[in-house]
Short mmCIF file of all heavy atoms in Angstrom, two decimals:
data_model
loop_
_atom_site.label_atom_id
_atom_site.label_comp_id
_atom_site.label_asym_id
_atom_site.label_seq_id
_atom_site.Cartn_x
_atom_site.Cartn_y
_atom_site.Cartn_z
N ALA D 1 92.86 106.07 96.64
CA ALA D 1 92.14 104.85 96.21
C ALA D 1 91.85 103.96 97.41
O ALA D 1 91.51 102.78 97.22
CB ALA D 1 92.98 104.13 95.18
N ALA D 2 92.00 104.51 98.63
CA ALA D 2 91.80 103.74 99.86
C ALA D 2 92.76 102.56 99.95
O ALA D 2 92.37 101.46 100.38
CB ALA D 2 90.33 103.27 99.98
N PHE D 3 93.97 102.77 99.55
CA PHE D 3 95.03 101.77 99.55
C PHE D 3 96.16 102.23 100.47
O PHE D 3 96.34 103.42 100.73
CB PHE D 3 95.60 101.62 98.14
CG PHE D 3 95.16 100.37 97.42
CD1 PHE D 3 94.22 99.51 97.94
CD2 PHE D 3 95.75 100.05 96.20
CE1 PHE D 3 93.82 98.39 97.26
CE2 PHE D 3 95.35 98.89 95.52
CZ PHE D 3 94.40 98.07 96.05
N GLU D 4 96.95 101.25 100.92
CA GLU D 4 98.17 101.53 101.69
C GLU D 4 99.30 100.68 101.13
O GLU D 4 99.06 99.57 100.65
CB GLU D 4 97.98 101.22 103.15
CG GLU D 4 97.08 102.13 103.92
CD GLU D 4 97.04 101.76 105.38
OE1 GLU D 4 97.95 102.22 106.14
OE2 GLU D 4 96.16 100.97 105.77
N GLY D 5 100.52 101.18 101.26
CA GLY D 5 101.68 100.41 100.82
C GLY D 5 102.83 100.59 101.80
O GLY D 5 102.77 101.41 102.73
N ALA D 6 103.87 99.81 101.58
CA ALA D 6 105.11 99.90 102.36
C ALA D 6 106.24 100.25 101.43
O ALA D 6 106.24 99.88 100.26
CB ALA D 6 105.38 98.59 103.09
N ALA D 7 107.25 100.96 101.95
CA ALA D 7 108.35 101.43 101.13
C ALA D 7 109.67 100.81 101.59
O ALA D 7 109.86 100.45 102.75
CB ALA D 7 108.46 102.97 101.21
N LYS D 8 110.58 100.71 100.63
CA LYS D 8 111.95 100.28 100.93
C LYS D 8 112.88 100.96 99.95
O LYS D 8 112.46 101.33 98.83
CB LYS D 8 112.12 98.79 100.86
CG LYS D 8 111.93 98.16 99.48
CD LYS D 8 112.06 96.64 99.56
CE LYS D 8 111.88 95.92 98.22
NZ LYS D 8 113.05 96.11 97.33
N THR D 9 114.11 101.16 100.35
CA THR D 9 115.10 101.61 99.37
C THR D 9 115.31 100.49 98.40
O THR D 9 115.25 99.31 98.77
CB THR D 9 116.43 101.98 100.03
OG1 THR D 9 117.02 100.80 100.58
CG2 THR D 9 116.23 103.01 101.14
N SER D 10 115.62 100.80 97.15
CA SER D 10 115.90 99.75 96.17
C SER D 10 117.29 99.15 96.43
O SER D 10 117.61 98.08 95.91
CB SER D 10 115.79 100.30 94.76
OG SER D 10 116.89 101.20 94.50
N GLY D 11 118.11 99.89 97.17
CA GLY D 11 119.50 99.51 97.34
C GLY D 11 120.36 100.04 96.24
O GLY D 11 121.60 99.95 96.30
N ALA D 12 119.76 100.68 95.23
CA ALA D 12 120.51 101.33 94.15
C ALA D 12 120.27 102.84 94.31
O ALA D 12 120.81 103.47 95.22
CB ALA D 12 120.07 100.81 92.79
N LYS D 13 119.41 103.42 93.47
CA LYS D 13 119.19 104.86 93.56
C LYS D 13 117.74 105.25 93.80
O LYS D 13 117.43 106.42 93.92
CB LYS D 13 119.67 105.52 92.25
CG LYS D 13 118.93 105.02 91.01
CD LYS D 13 119.42 105.76 89.75
CE LYS D 13 118.69 105.23 88.49
NZ LYS D 13 119.06 105.98 87.28
N GLY D 14 116.85 104.24 93.88
CA GLY D 14 115.44 104.55 93.96
C GLY D 14 114.71 103.99 95.15
O GLY D 14 115.32 103.60 96.14
N VAL D 15 113.39 103.98 95.03
CA VAL D 15 112.49 103.52 96.09
C VAL D 15 111.50 102.56 95.48
O VAL D 15 111.03 102.76 94.35
CB VAL D 15 111.75 104.68 96.73
CG1 VAL D 15 110.73 104.23 97.76
CG2 VAL D 15 112.71 105.69 97.37
N HIS D 16 111.15 101.49 96.22
CA HIS D 16 110.10 100.58 95.83
C HIS D 16 108.92 100.73 96.79
O HIS D 16 109.11 100.78 98.01
CB HIS D 16 110.57 99.12 95.88
CG HIS D 16 111.63 98.82 94.88
ND1 HIS D 16 112.55 97.79 95.05
CD2 HIS D 16 111.92 99.36 93.66
CE1 HIS D 16 113.34 97.75 94.01
NE2 HIS D 16 112.98 98.69 93.16
N VAL D 17 107.71 100.75 96.26
CA VAL D 17 106.50 100.75 97.08
C VAL D 17 105.72 99.47 96.77
O VAL D 17 105.41 99.17 95.61
CB VAL D 17 105.61 101.97 96.80
CG1 VAL D 17 104.31 101.90 97.63
CG2 VAL D 17 106.37 103.26 97.10
N PHE D 18 105.44 98.67 97.80
CA PHE D 18 104.70 97.42 97.68
C PHE D 18 103.31 97.56 98.30
O PHE D 18 103.18 98.10 99.38
CB PHE D 18 105.45 96.30 98.41
CG PHE D 18 106.54 95.62 97.64
CD1 PHE D 18 107.62 96.35 97.15
CD2 PHE D 18 106.51 94.25 97.38
CE1 PHE D 18 108.62 95.74 96.44
CE2 PHE D 18 107.50 93.62 96.67
CZ PHE D 18 108.57 94.36 96.18
N VAL D 19 102.31 97.04 97.60
CA VAL D 19 100.92 97.05 98.07
C VAL D 19 100.41 95.61 98.11
O VAL D 19 100.24 95.01 97.05
CB VAL D 19 100.04 97.92 97.16
CG1 VAL D 19 98.62 97.98 97.73
CG2 VAL D 19 100.61 99.31 96.97
N PRO D 20 100.19 95.04 99.29
CA PRO D 20 99.73 93.65 99.35
C PRO D 20 98.27 93.52 98.95
O PRO D 20 97.41 94.31 99.38
CB PRO D 20 99.94 93.28 100.83
CG PRO D 20 99.80 94.58 101.55
CD PRO D 20 100.36 95.65 100.62
N ILE D 21 97.97 92.52 98.15
CA ILE D 21 96.63 92.32 97.61
C ILE D 21 96.00 91.07 98.22
O ILE D 21 96.58 89.98 98.17
CB ILE D 21 96.66 92.20 96.06
CG1 ILE D 21 97.32 93.43 95.44
CG2 ILE D 21 95.27 91.98 95.51
CD1 ILE D 21 96.63 94.73 95.79
N ALA D 22 94.83 91.24 98.78
CA ALA D 22 94.13 90.10 99.42
C ALA D 22 93.81 89.03 98.41
O ALA D 22 93.16 89.30 97.38
CB ALA D 22 92.83 90.61 100.08
N GLY D 23 94.27 87.82 98.69
CA GLY D 23 93.99 86.70 97.81
C GLY D 23 94.75 86.75 96.49
O GLY D 23 94.54 85.91 95.62
N GLY D 24 95.65 87.71 96.35
CA GLY D 24 96.34 87.87 95.08
C GLY D 24 95.39 88.44 94.04
O GLY D 24 94.20 88.64 94.27
#
């Protein structure tokens, strides 16, 4: 979809992927 995101461990058992949106 021509998107990019960043990943982090959830600190529990999973992974979170964040995608910043211009202007919200």
Side-chain angles (χ1 to χ4, degrees):
F3 255 6
E4 290 183 85
K8 65 183 181 74
T9 66
S10 69
K13 60 179 179 175
V15 176
H16 294 154
V17 178
F18 275 59
V19 183
I21 303 302

